Amino acid sequence: MQSEKPDFSPLPNTAGVGYKPQHFNDLIEHPGAVSWLEIHAENYMGDGGRPLAQLRQLRQDFAISVHGVGLSIGGETPLDPAHLARLKHLIGWLQPAIFSEHLAWSTHDGQFLNDLLPLPYTDTTLAHVCDHIDLVQEVLGQQMLLENPSSYLNFASSTWEEPAFLDEVARRTGCGLLLDVNNVFVSATNLGFSPEGYIDAYPTDKVREIHLGGHEVDKDDHDAPLLIDNHAALVADPVWTLLDYTLAATGPKPVLVEWDNDVPDWVVLEGEAAQAALALEGA
Amino acid sequence: MKQFISALMDAHLPAPDGLQDGMAHTAGRRFDVYRNNVVHSLITALKVGFPTVTRLLGPENMNRVAGAFLRAHPPTDPRMMYYGAAFPAFLESHKQLDQMGYLADVARLELAIRQAYHAGDAPAMPSEHLAEIPPEALLQTKVHLAPAVQVIRSDWPVLDIWNDAQTAQSKAQDVLITRPAFDPIPQALPPGGATWILALMQGAKLGDALDAATTEAPQFDMGGPLTLLLLGGALVSLE
């Protein structure tokens, strides 16, 4: 049942930010470079109250992207039908520009772990991921986007490279891709590959949205750099450079700045969005 | 995935087989990133959901208690806003916390406030509607309360503890939570008030609820709690 509404009305090719309730008044009064917002789906699955009231107001002024963190697309066990129904309800009334989720798992046998956990890239996991995306797109009646993860380790059992895996998922399911440039930089540093090489191998024609975020620098057991994707810092300089490299391949796309922990004052986040808008002008 | 989950939740277990860094070394500390994310994010969710319990326990003790709780009761729902429904009973069963017997009721109050915050919206009826009912019909009337309304009964001065009051007003406290706009407001109920409101929530007529309340507290007057409900926007309709 592909819907009467075959596709989302697209997000603008401008800068957006991840919405945090503490920025509500600032956003209404001084949106600055920010013309669209992304929300985490799970935070708006309550029955009522302030979160939903704020969202109803924000959607008057901003295009909205819904980003899920709890579907567990990469899991072995079937998607939770109750959670999928809640998502359908949210998408139904909010009518967002885009819905996206992660190439990751967070639920197994009904236990939710509240983190985006990694999966090996094999023919078996490819089939699971495609089945799950087929189901989501059938239930929502709309295309979804799939985001590349930030990686700290490899699976010895993987037989696919990540860009080729994502390309194949998109080819089989018709989903679009959300390219997180910070995640590419974090994974490349942690696993010792070239971030530009990843972008070169990535199906940039299927990118519908780009993410940016901050990371912190740690070390592993062998004193090698270990970057942690914590969404709690300014976007790092080499990630801005990688954004320019990416936009040269994709052309202008909606670019989102994520800042989920130690959330800064609005002026700081808006400054990050302004820098993303500047990068888009050069694209 | 079973081995992966077991190792996530128990830092004494080795990282699962088949995980490597980019140089084909075993994953080692890299797996700890996921361990930390899972445990830290769930402890944070509990601290955000139970700020007064956290204050009373102190952050270090809260880390220990929340860590034990999340291993015994991992979430089953991706909505963190509802995580911790079993936390009050867990605190009650935690022997080391026996000297803080009030802690479970404080957690119940915080959970009820959080539930009220996310409860469904229901416009309050104009207060004139109540005045328009002929006095002889009033006791035969049923009232429908907003979904945000909650009642917490405690053998402890739970609201005073929650308010960080220096002196408790009474030994036991029943608490009414209403949500006039978006922020839940907890207020102490007089003796009989909790029984009266809980009866209304179960569909009793005003008169029957009054009988139940006066059986418990002979001096009960429904004027006070009724005013709290009206000011709290808690009366949705009459029947």
Side-chain angles (χ1 to χ4, degrees):
Chain A
M1 44 157 251
Q2 287 299 317
S3 73
E4 320 80 67
K5 208 165 51 111
D7 220 343
F8 290 86
S9 59
L11 284 175
N13 293 332
T14 55
V17 295
Y19 172 62
K20 297 292 152 196
Q22 55 266 53
H23 294 149
F24 180 78
N25 289 329
D26 290 313
L27 252 175
I28 301 285
E29 288 163 25
H30 316 285
V34 175
S35 56
W36 60 279
L37 302 172
E38 188 158 281
I39 60 156
H40 285 178
E42 286 70 16
N43 293 342
Y44 297 89
M45 290 181 176
D47 292 329
R50 179 178 281 121
L52 297 183
Q54 286 190 340
L55 192 50
R56 281 193 293 269
Q57 189 174 340
L58 289 169
R59 72 193 286 262
Q60 311 292 324
D61 294 332
F62 298 92
I64 307 271
S65 156
V66 172
H67 192 48
V69 296
L71 260 187
S72 202
I73 293 280
E76 281 173 6
T77 49
L79 302 185
D80 175 2
H83 196 63
L84 204 47
R86 289 190 287 262
L87 182 64
K88 183 181 168 66
H89 176 73
L90 174 64
I91 300 286
W93 73 260
L94 183 60
Q95 296 283 303
I98 276 181
F99 170 69
S100 56
E101 252 283 0
H102 300 83
L103 180 59
W105 61 280
S106 53
T107 301
H108 185 73
D109 265 348
Q111 180 178 346
F112 177 69
L113 293 151
N114 203 34
D115 190 29
L116 298 166
L117 298 163
L119 57 146
Y121 300 140
T122 66
D123 291 349
T124 308
T125 60
L126 179 67
H128 277 138
V129 168
C130 290
D131 285 350
H132 290 162
I133 291 176
D134 284 343
L135 178 61
V136 172
Q137 295 187 139
E138 185 186 306
V139 168
L140 299 184
Q142 287 170 318
Q143 187 194 42
M144 63 164 276
L145 310 187
L146 188 65
E147 177 180 351
N148 56 300
S150 50
S151 298
Y152 308 105
L153 43 78
N154 277 325
F155 286 81
S157 56
S158 284
T159 54
W160 289 76
E161 296 291 333
E162 190 173 281
F165 190 91
L166 286 163
D167 189 25
E168 184 63 12
V169 170
R171 194 188 65 77
R172 289 193 194 178
T173 64
C175 78
L177 296 178
L178 193 175
L179 176 52
D180 190 314
V181 175
N182 180 60
N183 287 358
V184 172
F185 184 78
V186 165
S187 300
T189 306
N190 289 343
L191 300 175
F193 60 80
S194 152
E196 292 83 8
Y198 183 102
I199 301 296
D200 294 345
Y202 188 95
T204 46
D205 58 317
K206 298 192 172 85
V207 174
R208 305 285 300 273
E209 182 184 339
I210 291 173
H211 271 187
L212 296 170
H215 60 252
E216 68 171 283
V217 181
D218 201 348
K219 290 211 187 301
D220 77 356
D221 307 88
H222 305 283
D223 232 23
L226 182 62
L227 303 187
I228 316 280
D229 174 35
N230 65 353
H231 295 185
L234 293 168
V235 175
D237 286 342
V239 174
W240 287 115
T241 307
L242 189 60
L243 174 66
D244 292 338
Y245 187 87
T246 302
L247 288 173
T250 61
K253 294 290 164 189
V255 176
L256 181 93
V257 179
E258 294 182 290
W259 199 318
D260 294 316
N261 301 300
D262 300 331
V263 176
D265 288 344
W266 175 244
V267 61
V268 176
L269 187 57
E270 195 277 328
E272 292 286 88
Q275 191 163 344
L278 208 60
L280 277 164
E281 276 178 29
Chain B
M1 277 186 183
K2 283 257 185 293
Q3 194 199 3
F4 200 102
I5 294 173
S6 306
L8 278 177
M9 296 308 232
D10 185 349
H12 300 297
L13 291 176
D17 300 331
L19 303 181
Q20 308 171 336
D21 68 6
M23 309 290 286
H25 298 122
T26 52
R29 279 192 62 193
R30 289 160 177 261
F31 186 73
D32 293 344
V33 178
Y34 297 107
R35 276 185 176 135
N36 292 343
N37 283 350
V38 170
V39 171
H40 178 78
S41 72
L42 293 177
I43 288 178
T44 300
L46 290 166
K47 284 180 167 173
V48 169
F50 298 98
T52 308
V53 171
T54 305
R55 171 172 65 75
L56 293 168
L57 277 173
E60 292 306 311
N61 286 328
M62 181 64 181
N63 285 345
R64 275 191 282 277
V65 174
F69 174 76
L70 69 90
R71 287 173 176 89
H73 299 274
T76 55
D77 184 324
R79 296 173 297 175
M80 281 298 102
M81 66 177 95
Y82 295 128
Y83 185 45
F87 194 52
F90 180 82
L91 291 173
E92 214 155 45
S93 70
H94 216 75
K95 294 243 181 302
Q96 294 95 315
L97 298 174
D98 276 354
Q99 75 281 16
M100 299 175 81
Y102 48 84
L103 209 54
D105 281 356
V106 174
R108 282 188 186 97
L109 177 58
E110 296 202 289
L111 189 65
I113 290 170
R114 181 150 52 110
Q115 285 165 346
Y117 185 79
H118 292 290
D121 305 309
M125 67 176 201
S127 56
E128 304 89 84
H129 287 192
L130 204 59
E132 285 160 7
I133 297 179
E136 65 278 10
L138 188 64
L139 294 180
Q140 298 305 312
T141 303
K142 289 183 182 177
V143 300
H144 295 176
L145 301 182
V149 174
Q150 304 259 357
V151 172
I152 295 289
R153 309 203 67 173
S154 178
D155 293 334
W156 301 88
V158 64
L159 186 62
D160 292 335
I161 296 169
W162 183 83
N163 276 323
D164 203 12
Q166 295 308 304
T167 52
Q169 295 299 309
S170 56
K171 191 171 169 295
Q173 266 178 334
D174 294 333
V175 183
L176 168 68
I177 298 164
T178 57
R179 195 185 82 196
F182 295 128
D183 293 307
I185 299 178
Q187 287 166 293
L189 284 166
T195 295
W196 182 71
I197 294 172
L198 288 169
L200 296 180
M201 289 167 86
Q202 282 157 15
K205 294 172 184 164
L206 279 171
D208 293 336
L210 182 61
D211 289 344
T214 46
T215 303
E216 180 184 300
Q219 76 284 25
F220 177 74
D221 173 359
M222 72 178 185
L226 185 59
T227 304
L228 289 181
L229 290 175
L230 274 168
L231 294 176
L235 298 186
V236 175
S237 60
L238 302 173
E239 180 185 323

